[in-house]
Amino acid sequence: MNSKRNTIRQDVLLCFCAAAGEKLHILEDLMGRLLSKAGFYVFTARRSGARGNAVRIRVSSTPVKAFVDRIDYLFLLSGGLRPDIMNHITSRTKVVGDVGTITRDSPKLREREAAIVELPIAARVKELDCAAREAEVLAGVTAALFGLTAESADALFERRFKEPEASALKIAFRLGHALGIEMDEGVLVARYLRADKKEILMDADTAISLGTVAGGCNFVAAPSSGTLFDFCSSRAEAFGTVAVRAEDRAGALNMCLGAAYTGARALYVLSGGSISEALESANLSETPLVIHTASRRAPNANMADVTDETADAEQTLNLALYSGRGEFPCAVYAPACLESAFALGARAFATAEKFRTPVVLMTDAHLSDIAYDIEPPCLNPESLPPRDVRGHDSGLSDHEGKKGEREGEEDQNVLKGLALKIRAVDKRVQKFAMLREDALPPTLFGDPLYQTLIVSWGSLQEPLLEALRVAETELRFETLGLALLSCEQLYPLSSQMEIFLKQARRLIFVENNATGQFARLVQAETGCVPTDLVLKYGEEPFSVEELVERLQNLLAPKEKEDDLPLSPAMPVVAVELVPARPVVPELLVVPSILGKTAGLGGAAGETNGGGTQ
Amino acid sequence: MTGVSDCGSAVAQILEILQWALVEADLGSGDVVLVSGAGGTVRAADVPDFLKKNFFNAPYGCALPVATGIRASNPRLSVVAAGCCGDMYGAGGNHFLQTIHRNPNIAHIVCHDIACDDKRTRTSSRSWGTGMNPLTVALCCGASFVARGSVGELEFTRTLMKRAILHQGYALLDVLRPNTPDDGKARAWLAENTYKLEDNTDGERLIDHVEAMNLAFEAEPYPLGVLYECKNLPTLEESLTRQNDDRPLFQRTPPLEAIREYMDTL
C-alpha cells in the first residue's frame, strides 16, 4: 500500500494533529526527548487551541532551529484537519492514521495528491484491552521509523508515570513500534550516532526560567499560572525560589515591589498589557524589577469572537517602550534564540540591579511554542552586582530608593518641593545614557562587506538565518553583499547599531507585526530610514519557505516563482515606510549640567493621585 | 504629636496606637516595615515623619500585596500594613480577601470612618464607609485574628494592636473613627454606640466562629475587642520557606548546582 522509500534525507518533518483537549504535548515531549537522546537534532513546535492541536517535530542530522511549512509525515489522531495544516499538504506528504480517522479528510487529501497510509491503530488498541492511548501508539510508530528500538521509551515511561500506567504505555508503544516496522519506510534520516552529542533539547520557557534563576531570580509573582511561574513554583524546593500566585496584576506587581524592597530578585510575569503601572512604580521607587511580558496565544478583546489564538507576538514593543506616565529609563530585551533566552534571563537581573531600574524581558508566542537542541548553557557564578538591602542593617529605608538617616532633610516627604522633583527626573534621565552605554550590541551574520542589511529582532533570527542558507544553496537570490543584523536589546539601542546601519545602502526590516514598530524606533533613534519592510501578523509564524519567498520578491523580483508551494493566505504586506505619526525626537538627550548627586527618587504614592474617599 | 489627640485627627490617633504598640511589642526600628496605602487617613506622605521605621508607601489599595511580598521574602521582618477603609476595603478589596486567605504574618490596621450625623442611614454607604462590614468578611474568609478598636478608647486599642502585631498570621484590627470634625460629638457617639468586650486573652469564646460572627454582626452598640483568634493556622511564609533554609531571599545565591542537575535530566 505504500511505496518503499530508501532515500536518505537530511531532515524530516513530522506533524501530529489531534482534536482539542487531546494531550499532544506528552507525545511531543516524549518524541523530542527520545529522538534527541538517540543522537538526532530535533526541533519541535506546538500549536493548541479550541480548533485542534498540532505538533510539528523536525528531525535532522544537523542542528535545526527554525519552523518550516513542509510536512513529510502527517499523523492523525482525529479527523477534521485545520486549514492551516491542510494548506501545507502536498504530493510529498504521507498521511498516516487510523482507517476511521482518515475517512473524513480523505477527499481533500486526495485532491492534494497526498499518499495515505492506513494503520489499524484503534483495532489493535481494542484487542489489547488496556488503557493505552493512541498518542503513545503513534509515538511507537514514529520511533520505529527512525530506527529506535521497541524498548527505547521504557526508561522515560518509568520515570514519569506510576506503575499501572507506565506498563500500559509501554505496551502501547511496543504496539505502535510493530506497526511502524510494518510500514517499512526505510531509514528516514542519515543519523550521526554521536555518543558525544552535547546538545540538550530545551524549550523556550525552560531556557528563560533557568536563565532567570541562574541570574539570581528568587521571587516570582504572577496573576495567573504560566509555564514560567509553574516552573519556579514546582521547583521551589530545589531552587530556593518563592512563587506566589496573585489575585490580579496589581497584586502580583505589588508583591514583587515588596519583595524587591527587601532584597529579593523579583520577577513579575504577565502576558502583554498593563505593564504601565509596573514601569511607573518600579521607576519611581528605583526598584530593580524584571518584567517578563510573555506574549502567548490567548483570547484578547479585539479578536475574542474571531479566534481563540491571537498571538500578541511582536506587537507589544510599543507597549514596553512608551508605557507609563513620565519619562522613565528602562531596558528592553527580546531573546532571538533559546541560547540567548537563557543568557538574557540572567542578564536582565544584573541590569535591573546595576541601574536600579525595571527591565522588560519580551518573548513572543512563536518563541514560546518551540524547543530545539542547544548546547547546555554555561553556568558561571560571575559576581552579581551588590545589593542595597532594606530591613537588614542599621539604616532605615523608605520606599524611594534612599537608605540612611532622615534627619535634616526636612523637605523631602511632606513638602515635595520643585527641586526634589527636578532632581529625581534628572537622575532618571541620566540613567538613559548609562543604560545605553551598557546596551548589548546587535549581532551581525553574513557578508561583513554587505550593502543590503536585513534587520530583525526577537524570534526571527533563526528562521532568517536558515532562509539565507536555503537561498544560497538553491540559488534563489544572491547572498553576496547581504547580511543579517539581529537585535536582542531593543531599548536603549547600542551605539554600534548606527554604525552597522549606516554601512548599508538598503535596509530591510523583518518583523512580526503590522506596522514595523522596531523600524520606527530605529529610525527615530538613529535617523536611518528603512527601505523595505517585510511584515507578517496573525497566528502563523514566519516559516523558512515564506521568508525565502518574501526576500526573493524583494531582492530578485524578476524571477518567476518556482514549484515551491506558496505559503497560505496570510496578509502579506511589503510597504514603503511612511511614518504615520511623528516620531519622538531626542528621546535620549541628557542634560550635561547635572551632577550625580541626586539621591532621591520620586514618590510612588503619587501615582494614584493620593485618592481619598 | 502631643496635643493632637482629639478624635478628629485620625492620623495622629493611628500613629499613637502604632507607636506605643511597636514599643510594647519590643521591636527594634530596623525590624519593622510599615506599609501604607496612599491617601486616606494614614497618609502616605505623613508616616515617615512621625515614625522612625522602614516604610513602603504603596499605591492606593495595594498595601497588602506589598506587605505579603515583604514577608514572603524576609520572614524576619515584622510587617504592619496601615491605611484607611477606602484604601484597604474599597480599592484594595480583593487584595483584602486574598491576603486573609493566604494568611501571611502581618498586622493590618485599618482606620474605619463611620458617619455619625443625623443623615446616616444603616444601609447607606455613609454608615459603613465602604458599605461593607469588614469583620464579618474577614471571618468568612478565615482570618486568624479579628479585632475592633476605636479612637475613643486609645489605651484599649493599643493593647489590641500589640496583640495583632504579636499574633502569628494575618491579624485585622479595624479602628472605628467617627467621621466628624467635632471632637465632642465624636466622643459622645462612640460612648453611646460602642462597648468593650470582656478581656479574655485565652478564653474559649475566641475560637468560636459562630460566636465571633454574631459579635461581628452586632451594631449600635458595636463590640470592641478581640472577636476571634486562632493561633495555630499555617502561615504563608511557612508554606513558602524552603525546608532547612529559613534565610531571607536576599541572602540566597543562585542555585547553580540545582540548575546543573536539572539540565542533566533533560
Side-chain angles (χ1 to χ4, degrees):
Chain A
M1 88 188 154
N2 49 34
S3 63
K4 189 167 176 174
R5 262 195 222 177
N6 276 322
T7 46
I8 292 176
R9 279 172 278 188
Q10 201 194 1
D11 69 330
V12 170
L13 208 119
L14 314 171
C15 180
F16 297 84
C17 287
E22 286 199 48
K23 289 174 179 172
L24 272 182
H25 64 270
I26 296 176
L27 176 74
E28 174 201 4
D29 191 49
L30 177 70
M31 286 321 297
R33 300 258 167 266
L34 277 182
L35 293 167
S36 174
K37 283 272 186 232
F40 295 104
Y41 286 95
V42 179
F43 168 93
T44 70
R46 79 183 82 95
R47 176 66 54 85
S48 54
R51 284 183 291 141
N53 299 333
V55 161
R56 295 181 192 217
I57 303 182
R58 196 176 170 198
V59 189
S60 172
S61 53
T62 51
V64 272
K65 300 181 176 183
F67 183 85
V68 292
D69 280 335
R70 192 186 80 235
I71 297 174
D72 295 320
Y73 287 87
L74 175 66
F75 295 90
L76 286 182
L77 278 101
S78 57
L81 269 177
R82 297 159 50 115
D84 59 331
I85 301 288
M86 189 61 94
N87 285 339
H88 298 310
I89 294 175
T90 64
S91 59
R92 287 178 290 185
T93 309
K94 278 198 173 182
V95 183
V96 184
D98 203 85
V99 190
T101 316
I102 292 187
T103 322
R104 189 170 153 197
D105 296 305
S106 50
K108 275 188 180 172
L109 292 172
R110 295 222 166 78
E111 225 170 78
R112 293 184 167 267
E113 298 175 349
I116 295 176
V117 181
E118 292 179 340
L119 293 179
I121 299 172
R124 295 281 176 92
V125 170
K126 226 175 212 174
E127 280 168 30
L128 276 178
D129 192 29
C130 67
R133 279 169 300 196
E134 294 184 0
E136 280 73 23
V137 177
L138 276 183
V141 174
T142 322
L145 293 183
F146 287 92
L148 304 186
T149 63
E151 293 80 33
S152 50
D154 286 4
L156 262 174
F157 286 137
E158 278 163 21
R159 205 167 71 208
R160 298 206 177 172
F161 299 97
K162 285 180 184 156
E163 193 29 64
E165 204 183 1
S167 291
L169 295 178
K170 279 185 210 168
I171 295 170
F173 189 84
R174 284 177 171 72
L175 180 78
H177 193 270
L179 287 172
I181 300 279
E182 280 174 34
M183 268 177 75
D184 200 14
E185 291 284 307
V187 181
L188 286 182
V189 176
R191 173 168 151 197
Y192 292 91
L193 269 177
R194 280 173 46 194
D196 64 334
K197 181 185 165 224
K198 282 183 298 178
E199 289 89 342
I200 50 174
L201 184 66
M202 200 181 275
D203 61 77
D205 292 317
T206 307
I208 259 205
S209 308
L210 286 176
T212 50
V213 174
C217 170
N218 49 25
F219 187 94
V220 185
S224 62
S225 89
T227 31
L228 204 154
F229 177 83
D230 291 346
F231 187 91
C232 290
S233 112
S234 61
R235 290 169 186 83
E237 186 84 11
F239 290 161
T241 49
V242 165
V244 187
R245 171 94 57 87
E247 53 275 19
D248 53 20
R249 287 165 179 159
L253 165 64
N254 283 287
M255 279 182 203
C256 285
L257 291 175
Y261 168 87
T262 55
R265 291 180 194 268
L267 177 67
Y268 170 40
V269 189
L270 78 168
S271 170
S274 77
I275 67 170
S276 157
E277 276 208 355
L279 290 172
E280 282 175 19
S281 302
N283 253 309
L284 287 171
S285 54
E286 300 202 87
T287 303
L289 177 71
V290 177
I291 305 159
H292 180 204
T293 67
S295 299
R296 58 181 176 140
R297 284 163 225 295
N300 79 11
N302 300 329
M303 296 177 75
D305 295 336
V306 184
T307 166
D308 58 326
E309 295 181 14
T310 58
D312 284 338
E314 298 188 352
Q315 294 148 23
T316 45
L317 174 60
N318 283 350
L319 184 79
L321 290 174
Y322 307 122
S323 283
R325 293 161 288 180
E327 293 159 305
F328 300 130
C330 170
V332 182
Y333 296 122
C337 55
L338 300 191
E339 289 89 338
S340 52
F342 183 94
L344 287 181
R347 188 186 168 98
F349 280 88
T351 308
E353 197 72 42
K354 193 168 167 188
F355 300 99
R356 294 198 77 84
T357 172
V359 171
V360 179
L361 195 57
M362 293 176 62
T363 53
D364 62 51
H366 304 321
L367 189 74
S368 308
D369 284 347
I370 61 174
Y372 54 76
D373 279 301
I374 63 169
E375 284 196 17
C378 64
L379 300 168
N380 51 335
E382 61 184 66
S383 57
L384 296 160
R387 300 187 221 181
D388 181 16
V389 175
R390 317 304 168 83
H392 175 48
D393 52 23
S394 59
L396 293 177
S397 57
D398 56 33
H399 82 296
E400 294 169 331
K402 179 175 151 292
K403 190 180 174 90
E405 295 298 313
R406 278 194 294 269
E407 276 94 345
E409 296 182 23
E410 289 161 10
D411 70 331
Q412 70 150 324
N413 280 302
V414 179
L415 309 166
K416 288 192 179 66
L418 191 61
L420 176 69
K421 169 77 178 167
I422 288 177
R423 270 157 66 204
V425 174
D426 288 345
K427 188 178 178 189
R428 280 178 222 139
V429 172
Q430 273 186 328
K431 284 189 186 177
F432 275 118
M434 290 156 72
L435 277 169
R436 187 172 195 182
E437 271 171 36
D438 192 66
L440 271 177
T443 320
L444 187 78
F445 300 91
D447 187 353
L449 301 171
Y450 58 89
Q451 290 171 335
T452 302
L453 187 62
I454 299 170
V455 186
S456 77
W457 63 278
S459 63
L460 279 169
Q461 174 190 305
E462 294 299 335
L464 274 168
L465 280 176
E466 185 166 341
L468 293 182
R469 277 196 297 272
V470 170
E472 197 172 8
T473 46
E474 293 183 7
L475 301 175
R476 298 288 291 271
F477 50 82
E478 185 56 70
T479 50
L480 198 70
L482 189 63
L484 170 68
L485 193 67
S486 169
C487 305
E488 294 194 301
Q489 174 152 4
L490 310 179
Y491 195 80
L493 288 174
S494 153
S495 51
Q496 287 196 35
M497 188 80 187
E498 203 172 330
I499 302 168
F500 279 125
L501 295 176
K502 293 226 158 115
Q503 187 189 324
R505 286 191 191 163
R506 189 173 184 184
L507 283 177
I508 303 173
F509 277 73
V510 187
E511 292 188 57
N512 266 328
N513 54 45
T515 54
Q517 297 182 11
F518 187 58
R520 287 180 196 283
L521 171 71
V522 170
Q523 185 176 352
E525 297 283 317
T526 65
C528 297
V529 185
T531 15
D532 304 278
L533 291 179
V534 176
L535 305 173
K536 181 170 181 175
Y537 48 92
E539 291 182 24
E540 288 267 289
F542 264 121
S543 66
V544 172
E545 292 96 327
E546 189 180 0
L547 282 170
V548 173
E549 187 79 30
R550 299 276 296 271
L551 289 175
Q552 189 181 8
N553 288 343
L554 278 179
L555 298 167
K558 282 173 194 168
E559 289 179 31
K560 290 287 173 192
E561 56 205 26
D562 62 9
D563 61 344
L564 207 87
L566 274 172
S567 45
M570 278 315 299
V572 169
V573 203
V575 289
E576 289 294 311
L577 183 74
V578 183
R581 50 182 171 171
V583 287
V584 188
E586 297 173 355
L587 201 65
L588 275 171
V589 166
V590 182
S592 56
I593 42 165
L594 307 161
K596 282 177 73 176
T597 49
L600 295 171
E606 295 281 280
T607 57
N608 274 272
T612 52
Q613 297 103 327
Chain B
M1 285 287 290
T2 47
V4 285
S5 57
D6 62 286
C7 291
S9 174
V11 185
Q13 302 291 358
I14 297 291
L15 285 169
E16 215 167 280
I17 292 167
L18 260 179
Q19 205 165 29
W20 186 89
L22 289 170
V23 171
E24 277 292 297
D26 196 22
L27 294 165
S29 57
D31 304 331
V32 181
V33 183
L34 192 63
V35 185
S36 62
T41 315
V42 180
R43 293 193 60 87
D46 298 352
V47 174
D49 294 335
F50 298 115
L51 283 180
K52 204 170 169 184
K53 302 284 175 237
N54 296 308
F55 77 97
F56 192 116
N57 292 338
Y60 193 60
C62 293
L64 285 175
V66 169
T68 307
I70 292 173
R71 273 295 301 182
S73 32
N74 189 350
R76 294 176 191 174
L77 291 170
S78 288
V79 180
V80 178
C84 66
C85 52
D87 174 16
M88 295 295 185
Y89 303 146
N94 194 26
H95 301 317
F96 174 56
L97 303 183
Q98 299 296 329
T99 306
I100 295 173
H101 178 64
R102 287 190 196 99
N103 197 29
N105 188 359
I106 61 175
H108 188 198
I109 176 170
V110 186
C111 183
H112 197 161
D113 282 4
I114 188 157
C116 63
D117 54 29
D118 298 337
K119 292 173 196 161
R120 169 175 59 93
T121 61
R122 288 293 308 281
T123 50
S124 78
S125 61
R126 290 180 66 88
S127 66
W128 283 112
T130 50
M132 70 183 250
N133 181 337
L135 301 192
T136 54
V137 173
L139 285 167
C140 279
C141 292
S144 53
F145 181 100
V146 177
R148 181 192 282 133
S150 93
V151 292
E153 298 282 353
L154 271 189
E155 296 273 317
F156 182 67
T157 308
R158 283 167 174 173
T159 57
L160 296 178
M161 188 66 221
K162 182 187 168 188
R163 278 175 73 181
I165 290 171
L166 294 177
H167 175 76
Q168 293 295 309
Y170 170 85
L172 173 66
L173 174 61
D174 187 70
V175 180
L176 286 186
R177 172 192 171 248
N179 191 0
T180 170
D182 183 343
D183 184 38
K185 198 172 170 184
R187 280 186 193 285
W189 189 90
L190 284 171
E192 191 185 325
N193 289 296
T194 59
Y195 75 99
K196 275 194 272 184
L197 288 170
E198 250 177 78
D199 184 26
N200 54 342
T201 317
D202 288 310
E204 285 201 358
R205 175 180 64 71
L206 289 176
I207 51 166
D208 187 340
H209 239 131
V210 176
E211 179 70 15
M213 198 56 117
N214 285 335
L215 286 172
F217 273 117
E218 275 185 26
E220 293 179 344
Y222 297 98
L224 305 178
V226 179
L227 277 67
Y228 182 77
E229 182 175 17
C230 178
K231 289 180 177 167
N232 299 317
L233 283 180
T235 62
L236 171 77
E237 301 85 290
E238 284 162 9
S239 68
L240 290 174
T241 310
R242 185 158 58 142
Q243 276 176 353
N244 307 323
D245 186 2
D246 61 346
R247 284 178 299 165
L249 292 185
F250 76 89
Q251 287 178 340
R252 298 186 186 180
T253 47
L256 299 186
E257 200 47 51
I259 294 175
R260 209 167 278 131
E261 273 170 28
Y262 177 77
M263 286 201 295
D264 287 343
T265 67
L266 290 177

